[in-house]
Amino acid sequence: MFGEIKGLNEECGIFGVFGHPQAAHMTYYGLHALQHRGQEGAGVVVSDGVDLKQSKGEGLVTDVLDEDELISLSGYAAIGHVRYSTSGGKTAENIQPLHFRSSTGSLALAHNGNLVNATKLREELEETGSIFQTTSDTEVIAHLIKRAGRGPIMDRIKQALNELEGAYAIAMLDEKRLIAALDPRGMRPLSLGKVGAGYVIASETCAFDVVGAEYVREIVPGELVVIDDEGIHFDTFSEAKNRSICSMEYIYFSRPDSNVDGQNIHSVRKRLGKKLAEVSPVEADVVTGVPDSSISAAIGFAEQSGTPYELGLIKNRYVGRTFIQPSQALRERGVQMKLSAVKKIVEGKRVVMVDDSIVRGTTSKRIVKMLKEAGASEVHVRISSPPITHPCFYGIDTSNSGELIAANNSVEEIQKIIGADTLSFLPIEHMVNAVDRQDASPNCGHCLACFTGKYPTDLYEDSLPPHEKEKLIGVRS
Ligand code: AMP
Ligand code: SF4
C-alpha cells in the first residue's frame, strides 16, 4: 500500500453484474472500490446477449478504462477484475478477465486466489494437447471446462471446479449468463447483492455501496450461483469442507467499510487493537496507527488503554504509478514519498505505533526511524496479528519464507532489527477470538496457515516455489 516502503502487495478483486443496462459502467465503479486489492492491471468483459467484448490493460482502473471505452462496451452483463499477480507473472496477457472463444461460444473468467495444484493440472492438460496462451493458473480452469466433454455447460463447469485445489472465488460470463463460484473451503470472500432487477457479485461489500446495490448474502463454500434472463439459481458443485477464510482479509486486506461473513472489518480491527492493549499494555503519551490499514486497530488500542489517539503519521494519497521514485541519495537526505511523521505531535512523546502486521519488517523499521527522527522519545510497536512465520500459497504475496522476518528471527531479535523500544504481537488465540468472538478452536473457520504452518489444503510439490519444497511437502493441518 505504501509504494516505496512496502515490498509486498495485495491479491485480486472480482466484480460481476447481470441485468443492468450499463453493466460496463457499473463494473468500472465496482472495480474502483476494489482497487486496493490490486493495482497492476484491470479489465472488463461485457455481454450484450450475443457476443462478449473486452477491455483491459496494465495499471489502475482509471488508467485502463475511460468514458469512450465504457460507452463502446454496451451490454447488460459484465465481469471485471483488478489484479495483483501472485502467480503467473506480470505479463500483460495474464491480465484478467481471461476471454476464450470456441466453436461452442465464448467464456470469460475472473479469479481471485491461487490454485495449489495448477502446475500438476497444467502438465496433464498439456500432455493431452492443450496449448496455453498465458502463464496464469486461471487459464487452467478454462481448459478444464473445455475438456469436460460435450454435456451442458453447467455440468462441465462443476466437473472442472471439482478438480481444483486451493483458493478461488470466480466470476464467469458467457453470452447468456453470469456465474459465480467459491472454493469448498471459502478461502476468499465473495458476496451477492441486488441492484434494481439485476444482481451483482463482488469480492467485498464496499463495491455494493458505490453502485447502489443491496447486500443479499455471502456466497457459501462450494456454491455455484447462476444468473440469467430467467433469474437467479443456486446450486452446489462440492460439499463444503472445513471453512478456512483467509484471516488476513480481516487483519489487512479488506477495506474497513466492507463486511466479511457479516462482520464489519473496521469493528473487527478495533477489537484486535483493544485486545492488544489488554494483553500488551505500555505506558505512553500517544497512540498512532500506520495509515490506512492499521488506523482501526490503533483506535481500538487507544480506546482500551486510555492513551489518546493522535495523527502521528500522515499518508500522501496522491502517489500514482508514474511518480518518480527518489534515488537512494535523495532518500537519505530526507525525501520521503508516501508517509511522514508529524513532528509537533510526536516530538518528546512516548509513542505507541500500531500496525496490523509485520511481513519483511521493512515498514516497521522505517517508521520507527521516522518517528525517532521526528523527536519521539520512545517508540513501542504493537502488531494486531501474530508473527507471520510461514508463506502463503493461496493468493497472498508472501510465498517466500526466506523473506519473512518472523520465520527467521525471534520477537526480541525483530525488536532490535526494527529499532523499537518494545515490540509485541497479538497472540493467535486472542486474534481468533477478536475476529470471531467465539472460543478459538482448531476448526475456527479461518485459514491461519501463515501464523501456524498448518495449511488447510494439501500442498503439491510441483506447484511450490523451489525454495519451499523441502520445508513444506506433506504439511497439512
Ligand atoms: P513489511 O514492511 O514487509 O513488514 O510489511 C508489513 C506492512 O505491509 C504492514 O504495514 C501491513 O499493513 C502491510 N502488509 C501486510 N501484508 C501485506 C501484503 N501481503 N501485501 C502488502 N502489504 C502487506
Ligand atoms: Fe490468508 Fe495466511 Fe491463509 Fe494465506 S496463509 S490464505 S494469507 S491466512
Side-chain angles (χ1 to χ4, degrees):
M1 278 171 96
F2 295 128
E4 59 129 15
I5 64 167
K6 297 222 176 180
L8 296 163
N9 284 277
E10 290 122 284
E11 39 175 18
C12 302
I14 60 173
F15 184 87
V17 54
F18 190 97
H20 195 281
Q22 283 192 300
H25 283 82
M26 291 283 276
T27 307
Y28 173 88
Y29 296 121
L31 291 180
H32 191 247
L34 299 174
Q35 188 76 81
H36 59 288
R37 298 180 71 88
Q39 300 94 43
E40 240 174 44
V44 180
V45 175
V46 180
S47 172
D48 57 8
V50 180
D51 216 352
L52 300 188
K53 285 174 277 185
Q54 70 170 44
S55 179
K56 52 189 190 174
E58 289 176 65
L60 302 177
V61 177
T62 48
D63 297 334
V64 173
L65 298 160
D66 60 24
E67 182 68 23
D68 292 343
E69 191 88 44
L70 291 172
I71 290 170
S72 74
L73 293 171
S74 56
Y76 65 96
I79 60 171
H81 189 265
V82 284
R83 171 176 174 78
Y84 173 72
S85 61
T86 51
S87 81
K90 296 189 176 183
T91 49
E93 74 266 14
N94 285 338
I95 295 172
Q96 300 190 30
L98 299 183
H99 178 186
F100 303 91
R101 293 176 199 278
S102 75
S103 54
T104 50
S106 295
L107 183 69
L109 277 105
H111 167 208
N112 171 211
N114 257 27
L115 305 179
V116 287
N117 62 343
T119 307
K120 177 175 162 283
L121 292 171
R122 177 183 281 257
E123 277 168 12
E124 287 167 7
L125 286 160
E126 279 179 348
E127 268 165 29
T128 50
S130 294
I131 297 171
F132 284 81
Q133 298 167 23
T134 74
T135 53
S136 151
D137 59 3
T138 311
E139 192 180 356
V140 169
I141 306 169
H143 281 276
L144 288 172
I145 296 171
K146 187 69 193 146
R147 277 300 166 89
R150 296 194 160 271
I153 178 79
M154 293 318 300
D155 290 352
R156 287 191 276 138
I157 288 175
K158 282 187 195 174
Q159 192 178 322
L161 294 177
N162 274 300
E163 298 202 40
L164 310 180
E165 181 69 286
Y168 50 94
I170 306 177
M172 289 177 258
L173 184 75
D174 70 9
E175 291 84 352
K176 304 285 182 205
R177 72 206 109 186
L178 169 69
I179 302 158
L182 183 64
D183 70 75
R185 293 178 184 81
M187 296 189 72
R188 297 276 155 244
L190 188 60
S191 295
L192 174 70
K194 189 146 187 25
V195 60
Y199 287 92
V200 283
I201 54 156
S203 294
E204 283 185 44
T205 58
C206 64
F208 295 165
D209 301 333
V210 299
V211 299
E214 202 184 302
Y215 169 80
V216 175
R217 68 167 173 84
E218 309 279 317
I219 293 180
V220 298
E223 187 174 29
L224 202 56
V225 178
V226 185
I227 307 158
D228 59 19
D229 283 338
E230 282 161 27
I232 188 159
H233 321 274
F234 301 106
D235 199 350
T236 48
F237 65 91
S238 163
E239 268 182 29
K241 300 184 179 163
N242 285 354
R243 184 82 207 261
S244 308
I245 188 159
C246 170
S247 37
M248 286 302 282
E249 289 285 350
Y250 294 96
I251 295 163
Y252 167 74
F253 295 124
S254 296
R255 239 170 67 161
D257 53 335
S258 287
N259 301 327
V260 174
D261 260 352
Q263 298 205 56
N264 168 251
I265 292 293
H266 165 73
S267 310
V268 170
R269 289 184 187 156
K270 243 181 103 175
R271 291 203 295 273
L272 293 169
K274 283 185 169 211
K275 201 68 203 174
L276 188 57
E278 221 178 286
V279 297
S280 299
V282 59
E283 282 284 317
D285 304 307
V286 292
V287 176
T288 193
V290 181
D292 294 318
S293 53
S294 306
I295 303 287
S296 307
I299 292 172
F301 192 103
E303 215 171 282
Q304 180 70 27
S305 61
T307 311
Y309 175 82
E310 294 287 359
L311 275 185
L313 295 162
I314 290 287
K315 179 176 168 188
N316 183 345
R317 268 150 235 288
Y318 305 104
V319 181
R321 272 161 55 82
T322 51
F323 189 87
I324 297 163
Q325 308 273 330
S327 64
Q328 187 58 28
L330 281 175
R331 232 180 263 153
E332 277 160 19
R333 298 192 61 182
V335 175
Q336 286 154 7
M337 272 175 60
K338 278 205 160 180
L339 214 56
S340 323
V342 186
K343 210 169 177 163
K344 286 269 183 231
I345 304 290
V346 301
E347 208 164 24
K349 302 272 173 53
R350 295 168 300 173
V351 179
V352 180
M353 186 274 264
V354 179
D355 202 355
D356 53 72
S357 52
I358 291 186
V359 185
R360 294 175 179 157
T362 328
T363 307
S364 296
K365 190 174 174 181
R366 292 228 181 139
I367 294 175
V368 170
K369 186 164 175 263
M370 205 182 270
L371 289 167
K372 291 221 162 165
E373 282 172 0
S377 59
E378 292 170 18
V379 179
H380 301 277
V381 176
R382 292 292 177 273
I383 304 296
S384 60
S385 65
I388 298 178
T389 48
H390 288 77
C392 174
F393 305 110
Y394 304 118
I396 309 300
D397 185 22
T398 55
S399 61
N400 186 346
S401 58
E403 292 177 349
L404 300 174
I405 194 169
N408 305 293
N409 297 280
S410 67
V411 174
E412 294 70 35
E413 286 166 341
I414 301 172
Q415 181 187 319
K416 283 208 185 85
I417 295 169
I418 66 173
D421 291 279
T422 65
L423 166 68
S424 301
F425 291 84
L426 185 64
I428 196 153
E429 63 278 15
H430 293 306
M431 179 188 84
V432 172
N433 278 337
V435 171
D436 248 8
R437 293 207 257 186
Q438 288 163 13
D439 284 338
S441 72
N443 181 20
C444 60
H446 304 136
C447 176
L448 301 167
C450 48
F451 309 115
T452 62
K454 292 187 190 335
Y455 292 89
T457 68
D458 283 329
L459 297 177
Y460 292 76
E461 189 169 356
D462 290 347
S463 297
L464 289 176
H467 44 82
E468 302 299 337
K469 278 186 188 166
E470 260 174 49
K471 290 181 224 163
L472 290 163
I473 281 305
V475 179
R476 195 176 169 177
S477 57

